[in-house]
Amino acid sequence: MKGTVGELGEFGLIRELTSRLTTTSAVRLGPGDDAAVVAAPDRRVVASTDVLLEGRHFRRDWSTAYDVGRKAAAQNLADIAAMGAVPTALLLGLVVPADLPVTWPAEMMDGIRDECQVAGAAVVGGDVVRGDAITIAITALGDLRNHEPVTRSGARPGDVVAVTGWLGWSAAGHAVLSRGFRSPRAFVEAHRRPEPPYHAGPAAAGLGATAMTDVSDGLVADLGHIADASQVRIDLRSGDIDIPTQMSDIGQAVGVDPIQWVLSGGEDHAIVATFPSDVKLPARWKVIGEVLNPSALPQVTVDGAPWVHAGWDHFGDDQGAE
Amino acid sequence: MKGTVGELGEFGLIRELTSRLTTTSAVRLGPGDDAAVVAAPDRRVVASTDVLLEGRHFRRDWSTAYDVGRKAAAQNLADIAAMGAVPTALLLGLVVPADLPVTWPAEMMDGIRDECQVAGAAVVGGDVVRGDAITIAITALGDLRNHEPVTRSGARPGDVVAVTGWLGWSAAGHAVLSRGFRSPRAFVEAHRRPEPPYHAGPAAAGLGATAMTDVSDGLVADLGHIADASQVRIDLRSGDIDIPTQMSDIGQAVGVDPIQWVLSGGEDHAIVATFPSDVKLPARWKVIGEVLNPSALPQVTVDGAPWVHAGWDHFGDDQGAE
């Protein structure tokens, strides 16, 4: 596989990319026709779209094409899981510069494929276009398996707030990378390739979660969306949020309180949900706060007090590649 | 509504765009959560993704934002119809420069919404990101209503080839615009805003269509995809393909044989299908050829002979904004 995508041409590139894909039993018709056909046994389909841009959401010198693919897929598949659904399929809209080596989109596609496999989904279609900036537009689909979708608007005062997955690891990895270091490896890896707990979304729906989201903008910011949609206040107990020793060490080395990463760092795609207080949660869920009536305080508080840093606005100017 | 998208910010822009949307009974959960939920009564969902780039697929000096939205939606919704499915929903991934006036994406969204309404669908979700080039990534979903999907691979020797919708109008309009003219208006309009016959896709499935596609790259090129997937030859009878008088006049004025536009012009999103020869087609379908056994000739012939111009390769260099 040599040369650039411009040399290979549109149809050649599509062949190269689709040749790398695997399928599942949910795929009734895969790539190559006007549209794909995917099983939707629940009679409803869950769908979400995200766009990633080179320079804004990833950097080719920080992440391999494979990792960019894993991350792009993970980000979207996590949105499906966060509704309580099981991911089934993914579609890819891809803009690539003509002078890009074919290896780049090919390896990115390997990453998308592998992340889909982790989540139980498959790539079923897409489009490639030549343009100046690498742009990855992904749409993920999922099936609710007879659960009602768990939205952001169902949290009720008295519910507990619980989280599963990783928190702050990507942000700590970003801090390491942005200072020119390549280790500790576990955090750099977490920044390059998040591991959303896909299974936890449908499991939470089954456990009676009242509201749910994945942590893409930061725990406080994303819980703010739940508090806003549910018209409640959410209070987190910082003492109940674990900070790994190694993350504290990085914090000390770079002069950042690691609680910042845990509360404000996005991109790990942990899943956070509210549950009735009598819920029996599996061991990998951690109760970290509670849902209260709205008050004069901000919608999300930490230990009863306002919290300052509240995630990214993706149109902001101050963030570099986050 | 004043200012630029950069001034409005990500969340402000999302609010502005979603405030313009309408819904349908198929939308179980619209924009604003981690993902949307759309009815899929058939237990299968049809899905297709396309990407449009400014400069490549549209020009702001040739088309209004509203028309770009109509066209972007039409292109994707036609893919759903061409499978024999009824469009239900659309998701939008949008890249916009920070200095773009908010009116542009807002009016584009109006166009997407209105085209969705024509097709019976609704916008259910999306993502907006700031970047250098306007990029529109659309995913459309649809429901098969208990028909089997009509793919490109079912054409059989002896079938007839029939088409419904417009052929060559967009290409003729493009020829007019690229020579600096703004009329005849009907063709310029057809270039700016195609009118795919959405209803015809599911209707063809009901009539027993054996293969189907929409004409996005040109009639000969798109029938080539059917011939290729079905391993047949398709022969068109040029005498059975109507060329409107006004299109002939434009051809004479700009020195192009209008059959070129009709056979090679894309973007009108006519629907072309193959049917068993005993099919009774409604009046708006026109039989224009037949399916034959493969031979040494090209897979698509016109009046039994090879045809030269075979549509666009979107990675080619010679096309400008098509």
Side-chain angles (χ1 to χ4, degrees), chain A residues 273-319:
Chain A
T274 58
F275 296 91
S277 59
D278 59 354
V279 69
K280 298 264 178 296
L281 289 172
R284 270 178 280 190
W285 287 86
K286 173 92 179 174
V287 174
I288 57 170
E290 61 186 328
V291 180
L292 304 168
N293 283 305
S295 72
L297 285 165
Q299 287 185 303
V300 180
T301 51
V302 179
D303 303 323
W307 174 253
V308 279
H309 189 167
W312 311 108
D313 181 318
H314 290 267
F315 275 66
D317 265 319
D318 56 346
Q319 66 204 59

Side-chain angles (χ1 to χ4, degrees), chain A residues 38 40 43 45 56 130 139, chain B residues 38 40 43 45 51 56 130 139:
Chain A
V38 180
R43 295 180 183 263
V45 62
R56 175 153 291 269
R130 195 184 62 183
T139 300
Chain B
V38 180
R43 295 180 183 264
V45 61
V51 179
R56 176 153 292 268
R130 196 184 61 184
T139 300

Side-chain angles (χ1 to χ4, degrees), chain A residues 17 78 96 99 101 105 130 137 142 149 158 202 224-225 238 252 258 262 264 274 282 288 296 316:
Chain A
L17 297 182
V96 280
D99 62 0
R130 195 184 62 183
H225 300 146
S238 63
Q252 205 139 33
V262 169
S264 304
T274 58
I288 57 170

